[in-house]
């Protein structure tokens, strides 16, 4: 079995176990796949009929890949405040996407024009931070917000900042993801 399939099954089992007591999560997988023991940060994104249905993740690695996927899958299904708890009917038609993040690195820039030159759409995930407010977009968000201006403007709004009234340039960190998806 490929590790990608193992990770997707792990996320699916984590969600399904909330509906079915007979579903158990196979912790012996950690012995078969050593990567599951590594501290990694992940996001689990759920889609229903090609529409976002939940997305929760970790920006910093603080637990094993195994545990991070389980907790983020459950949180995306049942604790994303933008959505009601996932129903079993929805679960049966769910598409699951896992993003494994590289460690974030600060991007130094002098103005938005330089930032625009340094950010690589569809490759860089971005963490924006200013005045105690913080938000991130995974690299996949570039697909919906393909221009730099749209991407940064929506990211500012997600952080609760007004893009045209920033007090100064925000701190920007970038990361990349290994995306794993199967419907």
């Amino acid at each position: 079995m490929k590790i990608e399939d193992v990770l997707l099954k792990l996320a699916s089992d984590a969600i399904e176990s909330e509906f079915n007591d007979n579903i158990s999560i196979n912790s012996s997988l950690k012995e078969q796949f050593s990567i599951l023991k590594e501290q990694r940060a992940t996001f689990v994104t759920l889609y229903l009929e090609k529409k976002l249905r939940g997305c929760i993740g970790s920006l910093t690695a603080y637990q094993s890949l195994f545990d991070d996927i389980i907790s983020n899958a459950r949180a995306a299904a049942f604790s994303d405040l933008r959505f009601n708890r996932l129903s079993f009917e929805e679960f049966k038609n769910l598409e699951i996407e896992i993003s494994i993040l590289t460690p974030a690195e600060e991007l130094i820039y002098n103005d938005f024009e330089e930032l625009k030159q340094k950010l690589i759409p569809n490759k860089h995930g971005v963490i924006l931070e200013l005045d105690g407010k913080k938000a991130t977009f995974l690299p996949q968000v570039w697909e919906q917000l393909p221009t730099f201006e749209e991407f940064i403007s929506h990211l500012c709004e997600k952080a609760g900042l007004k893009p045209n009234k920033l007090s100064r340039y925000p701190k920007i960190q970038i990361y990349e993801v290994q995306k794993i998806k199967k419907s």
Side-chain angles (χ1 to χ4, degrees), residues 1 3 19 25 29 31 33-34 60 65 71 73 82 84-85 88 93 95 118 123 136 140 145 163 179:
M1 189 181 252
I3 188 64
F19 300 113
I25 297 175
L29 289 170
E31 303 312 314
F33 300 94
S34 60
T60 308
L65 178 60
S71 62
R82 298 170 291 180
N84 291 326
R85 288 177 57 86
F88 185 67
N93 298 304
E95 292 178 54
K118 289 184 172 185
K123 179 179 180 181
T136 190
Q140 298 90 303
L145 303 169
K179 184 170 83 169

Side-chain angles (χ1 to χ4, degrees), residues 28-178:
S28 70
L29 289 170
K30 291 186 273 189
E31 303 312 314
Q32 296 171 17
F33 300 94
S34 60
I35 189 173
L36 293 175
K37 296 179 191 176
E38 293 177 13
Q39 281 201 344
R40 301 295 295 268
T42 67
F43 270 74
V44 176
T45 306
L46 308 177
Y47 295 97
L48 199 56
E49 298 173 3
K50 307 288 183 207
K51 292 186 180 137
L52 181 67
R53 182 54 182 83
C55 183
I56 300 283
S58 313
L59 288 171
T60 308
Y62 68 95
Q63 61 184 345
S64 70
L65 178 60
F66 182 86
D67 291 330
D68 209 56
I69 287 177
I70 291 170
S71 62
N72 289 334
R74 286 181 176 151
F78 306 113
S79 302
D80 188 327
L81 298 177
R82 298 170 291 180
F83 302 96
N84 291 326
R85 288 177 57 86
L86 188 77
S87 71
F88 185 67
E89 283 303 309
E90 290 173 313
F91 170 74
K92 291 191 285 188
N93 298 304
L94 204 60
E95 292 178 54
I96 298 174
E97 180 179 283
I98 297 169
S99 299
I100 302 173
L101 283 61
T102 62
E105 298 175 8
E106 186 168 1
L107 189 66
I108 305 300
Y109 66 101
N110 295 310
D111 55 35
F112 280 119
E113 193 53 43
E114 184 180 0
L115 180 61
K116 182 178 181 176
Q117 298 306 315
K118 289 184 172 185
L119 283 182
I120 303 171
N122 301 306
K123 179 179 180 181
H124 288 148
V126 178
I127 303 167
L128 179 144
E129 193 171 356
L130 181 66
D131 298 332
K133 297 179 178 181
K134 183 177 180 176
T136 190
F137 277 154
L138 295 169
Q140 298 90 303
V141 175
W142 287 102
E143 295 167 18
Q144 287 89 43
L145 303 169
T147 69
F148 170 81
E149 291 76 15
E150 286 178 303
F151 189 90
I152 292 297
S153 175
H154 281 82
L155 187 55
C156 285
E157 289 172 10
K158 183 179 180 187
L161 299 166
K162 291 184 169 53
N164 55 350
K165 296 197 185 220
L166 297 176
S167 59
R168 61 193 179 289
Y169 291 124
K171 175 182 176 183
I172 299 289
Q173 294 176 285
I174 57 170
Y175 56 89
E176 296 176 28
V177 303
Q178 175 189 354

